[in-house]
Amino acid sequence: MATSPDYLRLATSSTRALADTALDSLRDAVVVVDARHKHLPVVLANAAARRCLTPESQAFGLIESSLPRWLGSASASWIETLLAEMPDPGSPTRNVLEWCCAEGEVSVMTDIKPLAMVPGQRLVMLTFTPLPEPEAQPEPQAEPGSQSSGDRRLLALTEQARDIIGVAGPDGTLHYVSGGVRNSLGYTSEERRSNNLFEHVHPDDREALRAQYQRLVEGEIKSYSREFRVRHKDGSYRWLESSYTSALDDPLIAGVVVNSRDITERKIAECRLAQREEVFRLAADAVDGVIYEWDVVSGFVHRSRGVLEVLGIEPEDLEPTTDAWWERVHPRDFEGLKRSTHLGLLNGRGWTATYRIRDVRGHYRSILERSLVQRNAGGDPVRAIGCCVDVSEIKRVNDLLAETQRTANMGGWEYSYMTRELTWTDEMFRIYEANPGEFAVSWDSMLAQCTPESLQLFQDACARSEAAGGQLDLELEITTLKNRRIWVRIIGHLELLDGRPFRAFGSVQNVQAQKLAQIALESSTGWLKLSMNMAHMHAWRWDRARDVFEFAVVDGQKGHLPNVFPGMKKLMAEMHTADRHGVSRAIDDAFQYQLEVQKEFRLKSSNGRYRWYEAFARPLFDGDRVPRGLVGVIQDITERRDSEVRLRRSEELLRATTANTADTLMLVDTGLKVRFINRNVGGMSIEQIIGREIGVLLPEPARDGVLEKLKHILDTGETATYEFESADADEVRYFENRAVLVRDDGIGTGISISTRDITERKHLEQEILDVSGRERQSIGRDLHDGLGQELTGVALMLRGLGSRVKERCPDAMDSINEIVALVNQSIENARSLARGLLPVRTETGGLVSALKELASRSRDLYGMEVNFRAEVWPALHLDETDASHLYRIAQEALTNSARHGHATLVDIFLLVSRSTFLLYITDNGEGFHLPTSPYTGMGLKIMKYRAGMIGAKFEIAPNEPRGTVVRVTGEQPLTAAPATGARH
């Protein structure tokens, strides 16, 4: 029997062999195809089909091949249309199909019947009777008056055939029955002719068959086919498939022609096949996973409906190949799975692998795959059968358990008294800092890691537990395999059998951190007691109902001090009158809002003078949330208060000294909180500023940048000078700041900041630049329009004079030409001076033309390669004055590249969009260095100032791999600038 993995799945060997033998014993050819797929793959073919359709050497080539391959073109087209339109479930039908057999094309009557399968499957069975191979026998000579040889041959065929040919009258009376009735039902032809057509039909089939026959006799239909049961002569029932054709109008027949054949074996095979399929389906459904069969040779993979449960995909929607499954495997698990699969195929022992696979929702599920390999006689793998089980929940629980153990630093152990074997979880190895491959786990090896003191303690606890059958719980100190001493907590449970221990199990937890914390707490408690004593601090508790104070002394014992402050009333009586209301209010707030309160107050001492105290108190409540008292600490802070008074006097003196300075002076601590300031700032008084972060004094745009600079000073100790501007309602003011780290014994304790208002200086600088620009423009225009025009007139006059001299004194022409050349050179020099003083003019192309001219002149002036590129869209809206600032920045950058950077290549790029502009200048020089003196680097300051004048941002940084980058970015005006050059 040849089968496809898509058809026979996970059958027991006995069931499968029985079904295969039953189908292979049929004389009819049986072919089963999978109608779910468009190419109609053949999934089953019995021996008769293989002998008929394929040569013996290619018998298994029929399986997985397309059914139309074995049919003529017309038959293939008809069967494809039939199966595509056949409902599910469909009715059986029959038709003459042209089969491409091994000996040639043969047309035979073929039965097409859908098989009853589980939902989602569409298997269709095709059966036909192969024509017997002709045998070459000499034909005897016919004698006169005898039947012809053809008649005798036909009679012999009908007598020996298992098919039954009969002719029945309208009432069902049999007029003729062929000899095949004896081969199929055991009756002779004479015995069968004596019976009615329906006499031996099974009662359950008789009425339906008779009704259909009556319709045929009455002419409603011409023919029909039917499967039914007929009683054999031995009393058993056999299945017949009969074709009824009306020939009542044919005078030679005058009846209904009935062609019947015995299909009992086929019915039995179909039943067994259905039973086997049901067994397969139940087995596959019972497994919580995917059962698959992989044909290694063809690559075809059949998978059970567990694909739907695991991946959420219908099995027919997943391509029946290994690649379709592997492409869903997690990338980190793919190589491992592929390696395990190939190794299992090579050694023939199969494989076991765990990996993650993506379901239809995009979630990854954990899979445990186990597979066995079937090999052929040559030892090559031909088929793999396996199961993929979804272990996501198991893995999740194991991961949670493992993570819980890791988080709690807790491992598990189990000891068998019968086998003397000790088992550890993975966390146990981590606690003992042991390698599972190098450390042999045993009871003795575990005891060997205990310190001598802990070993004796553990052995005594085990002995008591074994004697009483209880459990143990103790803390021990062990030495790990890395020679570290740690504390662990061991919990064990002992199980007894017949009064004797047979199993112990429990957990080990690393409590090193808790133990160290306990030791630290005990140490801290001692230090706290000592510190409280040295700081004159006392813990106390007040019972509200009894109005009694309890004070704790250093050794922890409680004592009543009735002679000092026996209760709250006595305490309030000795309190300064100015503080009583505040303390009473704090007590009420503590009870009302259930919060901790802090208060400073004065108490009268034994000498009649008042001393300052600071108390922290927390309310106490009973089970009904009724206040029952306070608990807290009290400390004598008289000396601290006196120090604060002296410090405040010193600050006032310092503030008075610095009040007349023009600068604002302040001191901030390492938390950037103001500790001193000499004047009111931003509408806030000195008292409101002290103790607050310096950020409240800074304008919002500059706040983050200034705070970063101050943090940098605290980290590096560098001195910094920075500026920022503050926009008030009426004007913008500019401030210059200098910040210096304050050190105490070499440790930074704060920052001293001096702030100066430089608004007037900024205005003067602006006026200087404006005046300078106007003077440049005026001189440039005078040179261009005045001197330039006059020199041009002189040149024209000389040319006219030269024409007259040439006629009268030709020898003087050389001198006149030399004078004309000198005048022209003077004109060009005047124009160059004018362009330098007035570089950007709208009528000469604006900024783009000026930068292009600057690049050209710089090549000649500095001898370096200068490239200029501009992308302007739609237009640059800066006026001539603002554009001149960009020009001067580019000019200064070129000068710096040549003089200081010694560059050989400079690139200038101007990018203008609808709303922004960018000037980008790079060189390959020695790079950018910060100025070492406040009197150097004026060019950089002027460049930055010019950028600020047009509202742009100036940046300078090192270039990669060498050189300097100058970047100026800004926003364009909303409207185009007027050509007059007026500022906007």
Side-chain angles (χ1 to χ4, degrees), residues 806-821:
K806 183 176 181 181
E807 297 175 356
R808 299 178 184 179
C809 186
D811 296 336
M813 282 304 298
D814 292 340
S815 299
I816 292 178
N817 289 335
E818 184 177 356
I819 294 173
V820 171

Side-chain angles (χ1 to χ4, degrees), residues 415 420-424 439-448:
Y415 178 68
R420 301 293 179 182
E421 292 181 352
L422 178 65
T423 305
W424 278 5
F439 181 71
V441 178
S442 67
W443 189 260
D444 293 335
S445 64
M446 186 177 73
L447 294 180

Side-chain angles (χ1 to χ4, degrees), residues 422-684:
L422 178 65
T423 305
W424 278 5
T425 63
D426 293 341
E427 191 61 28
M428 289 288 293
F429 289 97
R430 280 189 282 270
I431 293 174
Y432 278 78
E433 297 182 328
N435 188 334
E438 300 175 358
F439 181 71
V441 178
S442 67
W443 189 260
D444 293 335
S445 64
M446 186 177 73
L447 294 180
Q449 301 306 124
C450 296
T451 61
E453 301 82 4
S454 297
L455 177 60
Q456 185 61 46
L457 182 64
F458 182 58
Q459 290 176 339
D460 294 343
C462 289
R464 290 192 300 271
S465 178
E466 292 175 0
Q471 65 179 31
L472 56 90
D473 185 350
L474 68 162
E475 292 182 354
L476 305 175
E477 190 176 17
I478 66 170
T479 303
T480 69
L481 271 295
K482 291 185 178 179
N483 205 29
R484 286 196 318 121
R485 295 178 65 139
I486 64 172
W487 283 89
V488 297
R489 180 185 180 187
I490 296 182
I491 298 176
H493 302 271
L494 186 66
E495 294 182 355
L496 302 179
L497 181 63
D498 297 332
R500 301 177 61 182
F502 80 98
R503 175 175 175 261
F505 62 94
S507 62
V508 174
Q509 184 179 15
N510 185 345
V511 295
Q512 177 73 1
Q514 295 90 317
K515 197 70 175 179
L516 294 179
Q518 179 183 348
I519 296 173
L521 179 61
E522 293 174 354
S523 176
S524 299
T525 302
W527 282 105
L528 178 61
K529 292 178 180 179
L530 181 61
S531 300
M532 290 178 64
N533 185 40
M534 296 180 64
H536 305 289
M537 184 180 292
H538 302 282
W540 54 270
R541 184 172 61 186
W542 173 52
D543 188 329
R544 183 183 186 187
R546 297 184 298 130
D547 191 20
V548 174
F549 274 116
E550 293 180 357
F551 290 87
V553 294
V554 174
D555 59 3
Q557 299 295 324
K558 297 179 181 178
H560 290 278
L561 301 176
N563 297 329
V564 184
F565 301 114
M568 186 64 72
K569 292 182 179 180
K570 177 65 175 177
L571 179 69
M572 298 296 289
E574 298 296 328
M575 190 177 297
H576 196 286
T577 54
D579 301 332
R580 290 175 187 171
H581 177 72
V583 173
S584 299
R585 181 65 178 272
I587 294 174
D588 294 339
D589 290 345
F591 290 137
Q592 181 178 356
Y593 301 110
Q594 302 181 17
L595 48 79
E596 183 179 300
V597 294
Q598 177 266 341
K599 202 67 181 176
E600 295 181 0
F601 52 87
R602 287 161 289 184
L603 290 176
K604 184 183 293 185
S605 61
S606 57
N607 58 10
R609 301 180 59 184
Y610 284 97
R611 298 188 65 82
W612 279 95
Y613 291 89
E614 182 179 28
F616 294 85
R618 179 178 299 172
L620 299 176
F621 300 90
D622 58 15
D624 297 330
R625 307 305 298 169
V626 176
R628 61 184 183 89
L630 297 172
V631 63
V633 293
I634 188 170
Q635 181 183 15
D636 189 334
I637 59 170
T638 304
E639 294 182 0
R640 191 188 76 187
R641 295 285 296 206
D642 292 343
S643 299
E644 290 176 354
V645 170
R646 291 193 295 270
L647 179 61
R648 195 158 42 249
R649 290 173 181 171
S650 299
E651 289 180 354
E652 291 175 354
L653 179 61
L654 178 61
R655 191 175 292 111
T657 304
T658 60
N660 296 325
T661 62
D663 297 344
T664 299
L665 305 178
M666 71 179 73
L667 180 67
V668 298
D669 58 17
T670 54
L672 301 182
K673 292 184 177 180
V674 179
R675 294 306 178 193
F676 169 81
I677 190 168
N678 65 334
R679 58 167 48 89
N680 301 339
V681 175
M684 299 175 63

